[in-house]
């Protein structure tokens, strides 16, 4: 089984540096273009995909729908366990606004954030259920940055710490017990497309 882990495309809150969490912010025009670029890349690669599943938040759902349309791959019902980490009171705020309101150590405060152990527990439970239902299939999963960072941390400890980019692609493969990374946080499709447009 292979899974392709995709972070949704850009939103206005991403561009402004605002934490989205579980606030349902839609893609912006650039985010939709990013989805198209990844879809076109996937059309040219040897990987074959059987299904797409998203968190159900509109920015992930629309990203999935764009890719589904280009690849002609069916979408499964959204799974709420793929939602972004809940960030409580800090959702919608920029870094400067968080520091102004709570100081430099705001991350150490209890501001209603979902605990790391809880997001990792739901992420690993999702993977177990996906493996049980589709272990002979390849599935694209469209989800969120902090969710992906915590899932990868749960699977691989401190091996991967790079920030997960918008419309990045990570591919994992599982044959028996362990997931093995084939590709990590790749945004080649975005830079290649930009290079072509500038020619």
């Amino acid at each position: 089984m292979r899974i392709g882990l995709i972070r949704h495309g850009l939103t206005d809150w991403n561009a402004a540096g605002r934490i989205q969490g579980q606030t349902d912010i839609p893609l912006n025009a650039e985010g939709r273009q990013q989805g198209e670029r990844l879809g076109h890349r996937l059309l040219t690669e040897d990987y074959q995909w059987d299904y797409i599943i998203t968190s159900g938040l509109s920015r992930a759902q629309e990203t999935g729908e764009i890719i589904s349309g280009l690849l002609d791959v069916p979408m499964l019902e959204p799974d709420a366990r793929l939602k972004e980490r809940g960030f409580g009171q800090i959702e919608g705020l920029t870094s400067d606004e968080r520091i102004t309101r709570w100081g430099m150590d705001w991350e150490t405060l209890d501001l209603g954030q979902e605990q790391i152990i809880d997001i990792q527990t739901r992420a690993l439970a999702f993977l177990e259920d996906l493996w049980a239902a589709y272990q002979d299939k390849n599935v694209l999963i469209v989800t969120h940055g902090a969710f992906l960072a915590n899932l990868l941390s749960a699977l691989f400890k401190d091996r991967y710490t790079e920030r997960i980019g918008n419309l990045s692609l990570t591919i994992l493969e599982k044959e028996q017990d362990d997931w093995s990374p084939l590709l990590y946080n790749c945004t080649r499709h975005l830079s290649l497309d930009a290079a072509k447009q500038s020619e």
Side-chain angles (χ1 to χ4, degrees):
M1 179 186 197
R2 284 180 182 156
I3 58 172
L5 300 170
I6 298 168
R7 184 182 175 196
H8 62 80
L10 193 74
T11 71
D12 286 344
W13 276 23
N14 286 144
R18 298 187 183 281
I19 288 186
Q20 291 173 123
Q22 295 184 0
T23 306
D24 198 8
I25 305 301
L27 294 181
N28 62 20
E30 184 176 349
R32 293 183 187 98
Q33 291 174 350
Q34 290 175 335
E36 291 175 4
R37 290 173 196 160
L38 178 55
H40 287 299
R41 170 186 172 174
L42 293 174
L43 281 172
T44 68
E45 296 188 340
D46 292 336
Y47 298 117
Q48 297 299 309
W49 301 101
D50 299 295
Y51 299 109
I52 298 172
I53 186 169
T54 81
S55 71
L57 290 175
S58 62
R59 58 192 185 269
Q61 185 69 18
E62 186 176 3
T63 301
E65 288 167 356
I66 291 168
I67 296 169
S68 171
L70 288 167
L71 301 185
D72 194 27
V73 171
M75 295 185 66
L76 300 173
E77 285 296 311
D79 193 313
R81 292 175 294 181
L82 295 172
K83 282 187 177 181
E84 180 59 293
R85 181 184 179 192
F87 281 97
Q89 296 178 54
I90 66 173
E91 292 190 11
L93 301 180
T94 65
S95 177
D96 287 345
E97 289 168 343
R98 298 191 294 271
I99 291 169
T100 297
R101 198 169 293 190
W102 295 295
M104 293 293 291
D105 296 328
W106 65 266
E107 290 185 76
T108 66
L109 303 176
D110 180 2
L111 300 170
Q113 307 98 313
E114 182 179 6
Q115 298 300 305
I116 297 298
I117 186 64
D118 294 330
I119 190 172
Q120 290 182 334
T121 297
R122 65 177 165 93
L124 293 174
F126 166 80
L127 276 192
E128 288 176 13
D129 289 348
L130 191 72
W131 170 252
Y134 299 105
Q135 61 187 264
D136 60 341
K137 303 294 184 184
N138 297 325
V139 182
L140 291 169
I141 298 162
V142 187
T143 180
H144 306 269
F147 176 92
L148 287 171
N150 283 288
L151 170 60
L152 292 168
S153 177
L155 291 175
F156 305 115
K157 305 306 177 196
D158 295 327
R159 183 172 170 187
Y160 297 107
T161 57
E162 183 181 321
R163 183 181 177 278
I164 303 296
N166 283 105
L167 244 298
S168 64
L169 175 64
T170 296
I171 298 178
L172 307 181
E173 183 175 65
K174 183 175 184 180
E175 292 183 358
Q176 298 297 327
D177 295 328
D178 295 322
W179 291 97
S180 301
L182 304 180
L183 186 70
Y184 171 66
N185 197 26
C186 181
T187 55
R188 178 173 58 86
H189 46 283
L190 301 182
S191 56
L192 283 176
D193 193 82
K196 286 179 184 175
Q197 289 179 352
S198 65
E199 289 176 353

